[in-house]
Amino acid sequence: MHLFDAPPARRPLTVPSAALAAAHKSAAPPDDRVFVPSVDERTLEVYARARDPRDALELRDLWLGRVELETGGDGRPGLADQWKSAPVRRTVHPEEVLSCRATVRFVKELFNWYFRDDLYGRFRSRASVILSSGSVSEEAWGLPETLKSCLYHALDQDWSDPANRRGRRAAREAIAAYESARIAGPGYTADQVALTLGGTAAIASLADCLLQKAPRATPALCGIPNYPPLVESVARRGEVRLVPLPCQAGRVCLGPLIRELREDTPTVLLQTVTNPTGSVVPEDELTRLVRAASPTTAIVLDECHEWLGPMSAFGPARAAPNVIRVSSLSKAWAVPGLKAGWLLADAGFVSDYLARSDSVGPPPFYDTLLEVLARMERWMLAGVESPGLPHLAEFTASHHVNRQQLATAYRCYREDRLARDRALKVLRQAAVTGLTEASARVVPPHYSINAAVDFPDWDDSYRAFRELLRDTGVSVFPGVLTFCFSGGTVRVTTARSWADLSAALARLRARFPGTSGTAVTDAGTAPRHFRED
């Protein structure tokens, strides 16, 4: 069997008229307010009451104990008693929370508890609609059929031999060409590409490689909001400083991060689109960061959420010798379970990384999928509607494909991708409108599939999760699990089926009857503008 021998099946991706109507209502919130994941008094109180504020498990249990007490307890009176019996022992300042190693571990342990013990543990029967996954619903919006056919082809070829640490050259060349088409400047070569086991594994192995020397006095910097497993990967290798990054009108300001840079800062970890706000780090801000950082400071960019938004060329700063870009199939292609992606970096670093780290790439089973994905994405960027002989020539060296087969496969891929992206944008807008109608304050997302939301009743995001689940059967994701340490901000994932999304929105509107909400501000304060210098 050759690649594309069987034409990929078309999968209809339609958006219900009710979703379109909801997306075009006039209740969308304004987009000019500030969101900052600062540290509030409620967070400081947990550290103030801890016997040992360096004990991450004690911090977790105190946080949960207060929630248990305030929600009336639900089978875990010991946690509530632990909170009640803990006196205030000290005064704590936000800087101590942001620079404490235990903070990262505490959030990671709370993250584990949320999924293992609460959402998919004792409260699973209550969660009738889950809007807390952080990923696209694979049942409704899964991997494009053209890419699935690549997996069928790999199975037929029995490509299950041990992985090449870099990935096959054809796949790396395709990724290099695709990424070169996205960036201003000379672009990339195959030697600057390494295939990876997805974003989380890639950043963990990068942390091992970058920080395996003796611990330094100057901490690594991690912008927040962020994803706990990624930050924990950095923190396990040395000191970490969490840096709250404000966003406004879909833009993230890197001023606070730049001010924390030192000549010997070893690493910066930054999401180019922050989760849960869906706000992007603009190219001019990235350029400022790269210029301000020492050449020996490794800047790791997690680009996994940078999709489903305005497309423009990346600036040349992303290709600087000390910048490492990490991409994954988990979000944009809705396959977190495949654990496949790539990183881009200076060719010398890639060789050193592969030699020094314990990481391996995905199995060759995925190589053709990654090659096809990269080539067809590049063609879409160029506005290709039907591939010609030059496009066919890209495949003939490694695959037996004729022009008609390639044209059919590409047409299916292009139509699938365009329809899917349109549908997910409609659902995102419909969700923002529906949440606003439910009296929520929303940070309107410009990218990805998540929205940061504040409902009227809470100043604790974990308590908001618990009580919303109890009252509505809708599961949301506590903002504290993305290092949002102020207020009751929760994350809502909008890339669900319309049946689930509309049912959840109806339940939330019933829980919060009223008019409409407004855009979220910093910890509920009056709107203010941030400076970018």
Side-chain angles (χ1 to χ4, degrees):
M1 176 182 176
H2 295 154
L3 183 63
F4 303 141
D5 271 355
R10 287 300 317 282
R11 178 177 55 184
L13 295 175
T14 58
V15 181
S17 57
L20 286 167
H24 290 94
K25 288 183 179 180
S26 60
D31 196 15
D32 60 351
R33 305 295 179 88
V34 177
F35 176 86
V36 186
S38 54
V39 178
D40 65 8
E41 291 297 326
R42 193 171 171 87
T43 299
L44 296 176
E45 188 181 10
V46 169
Y47 287 74
R49 289 174 179 256
R51 291 181 182 276
D52 182 1
R54 297 167 299 178
D55 185 339
L57 296 180
E58 183 186 8
L59 296 173
R60 179 202 67 186
D61 290 347
L62 285 171
W63 194 293
L64 291 169
R66 179 172 56 189
V67 170
E68 287 288 334
L69 183 65
E70 293 173 342
T71 57
D74 202 348
R76 289 183 177 137
L79 288 174
D81 291 342
Q82 183 174 345
W83 174 260
K84 285 192 295 184
S85 63
V88 174
R89 294 183 165 92
R90 64 188 63 81
T91 299
V92 183
H93 300 284
E95 173 60 29
E96 297 174 75
V97 173
L98 295 171
S99 59
C100 178
R101 168 64 179 101
T103 298
V104 178
R105 179 73 187 280
F106 148 58
V107 172
K108 179 61 167 62
E109 291 294 337
L110 193 61
F111 175 91
N112 294 344
W113 183 285
Y114 168 80
F115 285 109
R116 180 192 63 227
D117 297 276
D118 281 352
L119 179 58
Y120 296 114
R122 61 175 175 156
F123 299 134
R124 181 62 186 91
S125 61
R126 298 183 185 178
S128 55
V129 185
I130 294 178
L131 299 185
S132 52
S133 67
S135 61
V136 176
S137 171
E138 295 177 55
E139 295 84 358
W141 318 100
L143 194 68
E145 296 299 320
T146 294
L147 298 185
K148 287 183 182 178
S149 71
C150 296
L151 297 178
Y152 305 149
H153 174 65
L155 283 172
D156 187 68
Q157 298 295 315
D158 291 326
W159 286 345
S160 57
D161 55 304
N164 181 311
R165 289 175 66 83
R166 285 182 181 268
R168 287 183 172 145
R169 188 164 189 87
R172 291 186 289 115
E173 287 176 341
I175 291 169
Y178 165 53
E179 293 289 1
S180 295
R182 303 172 73 197
I183 194 167
Y188 296 93
T189 66
D191 292 337
Q192 293 175 271
V193 178
L195 305 189
T196 69
L197 290 167
T200 302
I203 289 176
S205 62
L206 283 169
D208 288 342
C209 179
L210 294 167
L211 302 172
Q212 64 182 340
K213 298 179 181 179
R216 307 186 188 195
T218 304
L221 303 178
C222 295
I224 58 173
N226 217 312
Y227 184 51
L230 305 185
V231 183
E232 174 63 21
S233 295
V234 176
R236 71 182 181 181
R237 282 296 187 180
E239 297 297 319
V240 164
R241 171 68 161 82
L242 303 176
V243 184
L245 300 178
C247 70
Q248 181 181 35
R251 290 171 54 95
V252 177
C253 174
L254 298 188
L257 193 61
I258 292 170
R259 288 191 289 274
E260 291 292 334
L261 286 171
R262 300 293 181 268
E263 185 68 23
D264 59 346
T265 296
T267 301
V268 172
L269 174 63
L270 177 66
Q271 289 188 314
T272 56
V273 167
T274 57
N275 169 22
T277 68
S279 298
V280 69
V281 176
E283 293 304 304
D284 59 341
E285 288 288 284
L286 276 177
T287 299
R288 290 178 62 220
L289 174 66
V290 172
R291 288 176 177 172
S294 165
T296 61
T297 298
I299 300 173
V300 180
L301 301 181
D302 172 11
E303 300 181 342
C304 297
H305 285 273
E306 198 160 350
W307 67 292
L308 214 64
M311 296 295 294
S312 58
F314 294 150
R318 295 204 193 207
N322 60 330
V323 173
I324 305 163
R325 298 171 52 198
V326 177
S327 295
S328 169
L329 271 62
S330 63
K331 298 295 184 291
W333 288 274
V335 282
L338 282 189
K339 302 298 181 188
W342 60 84
L343 65 81
L344 300 157
D346 177 79
F349 174 81
V350 170
S351 294
D352 188 50
Y353 161 73
L354 293 171
R356 293 167 59 191
S357 78
D358 294 329
S359 110
V360 294
F365 177 73
Y366 294 145
D367 281 12
T368 298
L369 180 153
L370 292 168
E371 178 187 354
V372 169
L373 177 157
R375 295 196 191 284
M376 292 189 174
E377 287 289 320
R378 190 182 91 249
W379 299 347
M380 288 182 64
L381 283 176
V384 173
E385 294 190 8
S386 182
L389 290 177
H391 306 101
L392 180 64
E394 295 181 27
F395 279 99
T396 52
S398 52
H399 302 287
H400 299 282
V401 181
N402 64 45
R403 187 173 179 179
Q404 183 57 49
Q405 290 170 330
L406 183 60
T408 300
Y410 176 66
R411 183 176 65 251
C412 178
Y413 181 83
R414 182 174 179 273
E415 292 175 357
D416 196 342
R417 284 286 282 166
L418 291 174
R420 180 174 175 272
D421 285 4
R422 282 193 297 267
L424 291 175
K425 287 178 180 178
V426 167
L427 292 173
R428 185 176 67 192
Q429 185 56 45
V432 170
T433 300
L435 290 164
T436 305
E437 291 176 339
S439 301
R441 296 176 296 162
V442 184
V443 178
H446 288 228
Y447 288 80
S448 199
I449 54 170
N450 300 308
V453 181
D454 276 64
F455 291 99
D457 290 0
W458 297 285
D459 57 3
D460 183 301
S461 60
Y462 208 96
R463 181 178 176 184
F465 149 68
R466 286 278 304 274
E467 294 186 345
L468 276 173
L469 188 63
R470 180 193 66 199
D471 297 345
T472 69
V474 177
S475 168
V476 296
F477 189 78
V480 66
L481 304 185
T482 58
F483 301 95
C484 293
F485 293 115
S486 58
T489 302
V490 298
R491 186 188 75 191
V492 170
T493 299
T494 65
R496 317 309 296 167
S497 70
W498 176 243
D500 282 349
L501 197 56
S502 60
L505 293 172
R507 294 181 187 192
L508 293 172
R509 282 193 295 267
R511 171 63 176 78
F512 300 100
T515 54
S516 63
T518 59
V520 68
T521 63
D522 177 13
T525 60
R528 59 182 176 85
H529 292 270
F530 62 74
R531 295 179 59 194
E532 298 197 10
D533 56 7

